[in-house]
């Protein structure tokens, strides 16, 4: 493999202690929930990691695996608690190494950041400071328990080495147990494990020393820590620099600089799309200035050119790309071969990955339906390629066309507008969702590369389909907002939210939005950000419940910050030239507005499908037209269906 000229630093070999890496790209630890109930490694996990190693990354740090039963963080988390886990771990290490990557694994203890439902006991911590997200108060660890836990970290590291891994990482970041000891916010102890800086770092230092004793001098040990807790009263960069120096003095070979705890407002640890790319790099850079061991940067570095720049400018020695490798395990290879346009982007939507873990499900990816089913989803070339016609150029249609073309089918795609992208073009209009836009160039590039014949501005009729004589028809015609039957809805002051987002509708200064679902809330955000006075009226108690909790919280708070108003449990009964009349608690009220924006009532555009389904042997309905929902449903249903044709 040849490195693209402009990414030469990224693809330069480097060392962490005695471990030589083929490049400076690291897959950071990311929980998958692919393990069995007792925490053993499964074949599913092996295939998932093998795929990432095969893609060309230098170092794979396998997900945080718990070292003690009280430290378990999720229902199907990997375990390092007993020697019985070693054979499975060995297979995993070998699978990664066989692809030329080095294999490490992270030692994890959740401390207070876990529900008692998972561990079957009250969570433990440095002190009894509750976690707001988990909403439980932990129990301070006794001195005996601290010693038992230090030994558990040491034993876990020994197992990692025996299993044949190349390195081990200590999880001292993200508000988990070690972070709880390090932070003055969560460590209120008055014994030797608390109080002074020395007291608060003692737990980490003793863990490092115990691990060293168990694994010997030459086995690489990485310490993952927070460059900032992003929480008032927590660890700051200045304190983090001292912690990093302390960890280095205790014997670690590299520092992996992340940030954030569960209670951080923006979820920095798994930064959502509204945080800027590479926003934590200054933390790594600050720490790099005060230590001599290599420093790894992480956090929304979803672009290889940015990764190269970070290395080039000496801000860090290695770069982690996490969700980007869930989205596209082949990212390193594609980058190395100069095939940047082929990289499936991570849009930091968190829907398929961290949000799944939050609900104790296994990880997937909105854009990559193959995650966790790598073997089953391997593209099988079709021996008898068919003529495939795709109607609709939204994400569902594009994914269907992409997969069908990859399998060797002859694919044409018809889109009635002049642009590919469908709903994504509108969904990416609110400023905080700009990342979503990168989906479209990726698909365009792939469809062109795979020889899909794309017809824009052509609305396809039933007769045209007969004329084209396809063997397979995929209907991906999406859904549309419609005007509900409310008196006055046909007034000149009424517009559809989709037309507002598309920039096609004139909107006055004072706006009422009918419907507080995702479209309504996001349109409200978009207009309120422009300085308009916006009120959203929603019939239910909560708005936009289909959004993931972190995003719902963020958008609601920003909307309120822009001066937006929410009226919930209210029913709009009439629209007049003055605004919208709604009923709430038996009262009729008028919410004055220059413009009334409609964001409720959708129809699935299925008529073409209904007309064709009994006339063609292979007609498929995918995307919103099949099941109104999220980008993930559209892409996954298309990816699954196109593999079967
Ligand atoms: C699904 C998921 C699981 C994660 N699990 C862990 C973990 O077990 N240990 C850890 O230190 N970080 C974990 N992280 C954080 C990642 O290692 C990484 O720091 C974060 O995703 C930001 O990097 P990125 O923007 O490149 O994805 C997880 C992130 C995700 C998305």
């Amino acid at each position: 493999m040849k490195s693209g000229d402009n990414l030469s630093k990224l693809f330069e070999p480097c060392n962490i202690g005695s471990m030589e890496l083929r490049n400076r790209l690291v897959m950071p630890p990311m929980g998958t929930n692919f393990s069995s109930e007792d925490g053993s490694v499964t074949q599913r996990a092996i295939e998932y990691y093998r795929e990432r190693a095969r893609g060309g990354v230098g170092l794979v740090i396998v997900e945080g695996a718990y070292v003690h039963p009280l430290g378990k963080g999720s229902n199907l988390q990997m375990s390092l608690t007993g020697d019985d886990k070693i054979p499975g771990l060995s297979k995993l290490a070998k699978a990664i190494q066989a692809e030329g990557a080095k294999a490490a694994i992270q030692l994890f203890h959740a401390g207070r950041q876990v529900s008692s439902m998972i561990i079957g006991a009250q969570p433990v911590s440095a002190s009894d400071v509750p976690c707001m997200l988990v909403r439980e108060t932990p129990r301070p660890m006794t001195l005996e328990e601290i010693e038992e836990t230090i030994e558990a970290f040491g034993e876990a590291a020994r197992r990692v080495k025996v299993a044949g891994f190349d390195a081990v990482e200590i999880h001292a970041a993200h508000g988990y147990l070690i972070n709880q000891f390090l932070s003055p916010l969560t460590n209120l102890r008055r014994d030797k494990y608390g109080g002074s800086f020395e007291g608060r770092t003692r737990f980490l230092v003793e863990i490092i020393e115990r691990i060293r004793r168990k694994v010997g001098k030459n086995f690489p040990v990485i310490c993952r820590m927070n460059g900032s807790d992003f929480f008032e009263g927590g660890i700051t960069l200045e304190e983090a620099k001292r912690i990093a120096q302390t960890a280095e003095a205790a014997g670690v070979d590299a520092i992996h600089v992340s940030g954030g705890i569960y209670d951080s407002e923006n979820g920095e640890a798994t930064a959502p799309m509204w945080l800027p790319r590479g926003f934590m790099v200054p933390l790594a850079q600050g720490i790099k200035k005060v230590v001599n061991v290599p420093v790894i940067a992480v956090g929304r570095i979803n672009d290889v050119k940015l990764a190269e720049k970070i290395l080039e400018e000496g801000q860090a020695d290695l770069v982690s790309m996490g969700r980007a490798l869930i989205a596209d395990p082949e990212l390193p290879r594609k980058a190395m071969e100069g095939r940047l346009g082929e990289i499936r982007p991570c849009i930091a939507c968190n829907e398929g990955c961290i949000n799944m873990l939050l609900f104790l499900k296994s990880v997937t990816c909105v854009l990559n339906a193959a995650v966790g089913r790598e073997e089953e989803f391997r593209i099988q070339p079709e021996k008898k390629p068919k003529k495939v016609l795709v109607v609709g150029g939204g994400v569902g249609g594009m994914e269907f066309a992409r997969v069908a073309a990859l399998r060797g089918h002859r694919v044409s795609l018809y889109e009635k507008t002049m642009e590919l992208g469908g709903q994504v073009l509108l969904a990416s209009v609110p400023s905080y969702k700009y990342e979503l836009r990168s989906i479209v160039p990726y698909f365009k590039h792939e469809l062109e590369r795979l020889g899909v014949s794309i017809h824009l501005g052509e609305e396809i009729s039933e007769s045209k389909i007969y004329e084209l004589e396809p063997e397979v028809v995929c209907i991906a015609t999406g859904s549309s907002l419609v005007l509900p039957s409310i008196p006055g809805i046909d007034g000149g002051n009424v517009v559809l939210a989709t037309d507002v987002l598309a920039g096609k509708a004139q909107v006055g200064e004072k706006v009422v939005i009918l419907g507080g679902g995702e479209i309504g809330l996001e349109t409200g955000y978009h207009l309120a950000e422009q300085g308009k006075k916006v009120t959203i009226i929603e019939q239910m108690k909560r708005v936009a419940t289909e959004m993931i909790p972190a995003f719902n919280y963020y958008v609601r708070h920003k909307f309120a910050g822009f001066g937006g108003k929410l009226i919930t449990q209210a029913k709009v009964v009439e629209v007049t030239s003055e605004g919208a009349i709604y009923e709430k608690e038996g009262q009729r009220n008028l919410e004055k507005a220059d413009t009334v924006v409609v964001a409720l009532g959708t129809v699935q555009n299925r008529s073409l499908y209904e007309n064709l389904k009994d006339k063609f042997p292979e007609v498929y309905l995918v995307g919103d037209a099949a099941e109104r929902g999220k980008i993930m449903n559209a892409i996954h249903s298309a990816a699954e269906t196109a593999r079967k044709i």
Side-chain angles (χ1 to χ4, degrees):
M1 278 181 287
K2 190 177 150 297
S3 155
D5 284 345
N6 52 350
L7 299 173
S8 52
K9 194 81 189 152
L10 191 56
F11 292 107
E12 185 180 270
C14 71
N15 269 65
I16 290 181
S18 58
M19 172 172 64
E20 194 176 320
L21 303 172
R22 61 181 163 185
N23 58 50
R24 293 175 183 270
L25 201 51
V26 177
M27 176 171 168
M30 288 177 290
T32 56
N33 252 355
F34 289 161
S35 299
S36 56
E37 273 181 24
D38 73 346
S40 300
V41 172
T42 57
Q43 195 59 32
R44 187 182 190 194
I46 291 174
E47 298 310 334
Y48 165 84
Y49 283 109
R50 191 202 308 278
E51 191 79 359
R52 269 95 207 141
R54 187 178 284 160
V57 67
L59 172 64
V60 173
I61 308 178
V62 170
E63 63 202 75
Y66 61 101
V67 300
H68 187 282
L70 287 180
K72 186 173 176 176
S74 195
N75 52 337
L76 298 176
Q77 188 175 12
M78 206 175 276
S79 164
L80 290 166
T81 53
D83 284 0
D84 60 318
K85 302 293 176 301
I86 293 175
L89 291 163
S90 254
K91 277 193 205 157
L92 176 57
K94 281 201 187 86
I96 294 168
Q97 291 156 343
E99 300 296 338
K102 290 291 192 290
I105 187 164
Q106 189 186 51
L107 312 183
F108 175 97
H109 192 306
R112 70 172 190 155
Q113 287 188 162
V114 67
S115 154
S116 52
M117 270 162 51
I118 300 288
I119 53 174
Q122 185 181 9
V124 293
S125 181
S127 304
D128 57 355
V129 181
C131 168
M132 292 187 293
L133 195 80
V134 174
R135 296 189 190 176
E136 287 187 43
T137 303
R139 172 174 71 73
M141 291 168 86
T142 63
L143 289 178
E144 293 72 33
E145 281 176 316
I146 290 178
E147 166 51 30
E148 185 186 312
T149 308
I150 292 169
E151 180 61 13
F153 270 99
E155 275 295 281
R158 178 188 63 78
R159 290 179 192 117
V160 168
K161 187 177 176 193
V162 172
F165 278 87
D166 302 288
V168 72
E169 180 174 272
I170 301 167
H171 199 346
H174 300 164
Y176 292 112
L177 183 66
I178 301 177
N179 198 160
Q180 289 156 35
F181 273 85
L182 292 171
S183 171
L185 193 75
T186 39
N187 185 343
L188 312 176
R189 300 179 76 96
R190 288 161 184 260
D191 60 12
K192 65 176 183 169
Y193 290 101
S196 63
F197 176 82
E198 197 192 355
R200 283 184 282 113
T201 50
R202 190 182 309 279
F203 185 54
L204 171 62
V205 168
E206 291 185 2
I207 287 172
I208 296 169
E209 288 170 353
R210 189 70 55 92
I211 289 174
R212 258 299 155 237
R213 235 190 286 156
K214 303 267 183 180
V215 299
K217 225 170 56 205
N218 291 325
F219 193 71
V221 178
I222 305 166
C223 178
R224 188 165 222 211
M225 55 171 283
N226 275 359
S228 165
D229 282 348
F230 293 106
F231 198 91
E232 179 108 35
I235 295 167
T236 59
L237 177 57
E238 285 319 302
E239 177 114 326
K241 286 180 184 170
R242 290 178 68 200
I243 297 170
Q245 287 173 320
T246 307
E248 182 181 28
V252 302
D253 300 285
I255 308 274
H256 195 171
V257 184
S258 189
I261 62 175
Y262 272 18
D263 290 345
S264 309
E265 197 172 326
N266 270 307
E268 280 82 358
T270 48
M273 53 176 73
W274 58 83
L275 290 174
R277 291 180 179 181
F279 74 105
M280 289 200 290
V281 174
L283 304 177
Q285 186 179 18
I287 286 174
K288 185 169 158 50
K289 285 190 186 132
V290 299
V291 297
N292 296 308
V293 291
V295 169
I296 311 171
V298 72
R300 291 268 289 120
I301 306 170
N302 62 349
D303 167 11
V304 284
K305 288 188 184 154
L306 172 62
E308 175 72 12
K309 186 164 170 278
I310 292 163
L311 297 172
E312 192 60 49
E313 292 178 359
Q315 293 171 306
D317 302 290
L318 297 100
V319 169
S320 269
M321 295 177 88
R323 289 165 294 175
L325 286 170
I326 302 182
D328 193 344
E330 278 193 275
L331 174 149
R333 186 182 307 278
K334 289 175 179 172
M336 231 182 311
E337 294 172 359
R339 299 186 281 134
L340 298 191
E342 289 178 40
I343 296 174
R344 189 186 297 110
C346 164
I347 53 172
C349 67
N350 285 350
E351 289 223 22
C353 54
I354 200 71
N355 192 55
M356 286 293 175
L357 289 193
L358 207 64
F359 291 99
L360 305 181
K361 295 184 183 155
S362 298
V363 154
T364 177
C365 174
V366 162
L367 295 186
N368 182 3
V371 173
R373 41 183 174 175
E374 278 72 18
E375 273 314 305
E376 181 196 333
F377 255 51
R378 192 130 348 262
I379 293 291
Q380 303 296 342
E382 176 58 48
K383 289 194 193 79
K384 289 190 198 145
K386 295 178 185 163
K387 187 172 176 189
V388 176
L389 174 67
V390 179
V391 186
V395 286
M398 291 194 290
E399 175 69 356
F400 191 97
R402 187 188 75 85
V403 174
L406 269 175
R407 295 187 53 212
H409 294 294
R410 300 182 307 280
V411 187
S412 308
L413 182 147
Y414 285 77
E415 162 58 37
K416 69 175 177 188
T417 71
M418 290 308 292
E419 265 185 281
L420 290 175
Q423 299 288 336
V424 163
L425 299 172
L426 303 181
S428 60
V429 168
S431 59
Y432 83 96
K433 286 175 85 181
Y434 71 95
E435 278 287 359
L436 228 58
R437 272 170 235 166
S438 57
I439 297 178
V440 182
Y442 158 71
F443 272 114
K444 265 189 196 161
H445 183 279
E446 284 304 85
L447 297 187
E448 276 164 25
R449 183 178 72 85
L450 296 167
V452 173
S453 144
I454 300 171
H455 305 260
L456 297 176
E458 279 192 55
E459 182 154 18
I460 212 153
S461 60
E462 197 180 331
S463 58
K464 173 83 178 177
I465 293 180
Y466 284 112
E467 218 176 274
L468 292 167
E469 297 183 331
E471 290 159 277
V472 177
V473 185
C474 166
I475 305 289
T477 37
S479 65
S480 315
L481 273 179
V482 285
L483 294 175
S485 51
I486 297 173
I489 204 78
D490 49 1
N493 56 343
V494 180
V495 296
L496 288 173
T498 38
D499 288 337
V500 173
L501 292 171
K504 288 191 212 155
Q506 287 282 348
V507 180
E509 280 314 295
K510 190 150 174 25
V511 184
V512 171
I513 299 182
L514 312 189
E518 187 168 9
I519 300 179
L521 183 60
E522 290 190 338
T523 308
Y525 173 104
H526 174 62
L527 293 173
E529 191 181 26
Q530 294 169 9
K532 297 193 189 293
K533 289 251 156 289
V534 184
T535 301
I536 298 175
I537 304 179
E538 164 60 37
Q539 206 165 352
M540 311 294 280
K541 197 169 172 187
R542 291 162 191 259
V543 294
T545 47
E546 67 273 45
M547 287 170 86
I548 69 172
F551 279 56
N552 180 301
Y553 176 89
Y554 175 80
V555 181
R556 273 191 297 113
H557 281 76
K558 288 293 271 191
F559 175 65
F562 297 142
K565 191 167 108 188
L566 283 179
I567 301 174
T568 54
Q569 293 177 289
K571 185 168 190 267
V572 176
V573 290
E574 192 179 345
V575 174
T576 70
S577 57
E578 278 191 282
I581 296 171
Y582 65 94
E583 282 176 3
K584 185 176 164 82
E585 292 162 357
Q587 300 274 337
R588 252 174 101 87
N589 307 282
L590 167 70
E591 186 66 18
K592 288 193 170 175
D594 308 316
T595 308
V596 174
V597 177
V598 175
L600 36 85
T602 47
V603 285
Q604 291 165 302
N605 305 323
R606 283 183 169 190
S607 55
L608 196 55
Y609 173 75
E610 296 299 339
N611 290 345
L612 292 174
K613 70 176 191 228
D614 299 325
K615 300 178 190 154
F616 271 86
E618 279 195 73
V619 186
Y620 301 99
L621 189 65
V622 303
D624 262 11
E627 189 188 345
R628 232 196 80 67
K630 315 280 280 180
I631 297 175
M632 183 148 78
N633 304 6
I635 292 197
H636 287 212
S637 71
E640 283 157 18
T641 316
R643 276 170 172 81
K644 292 183 200 142
I645 62 172

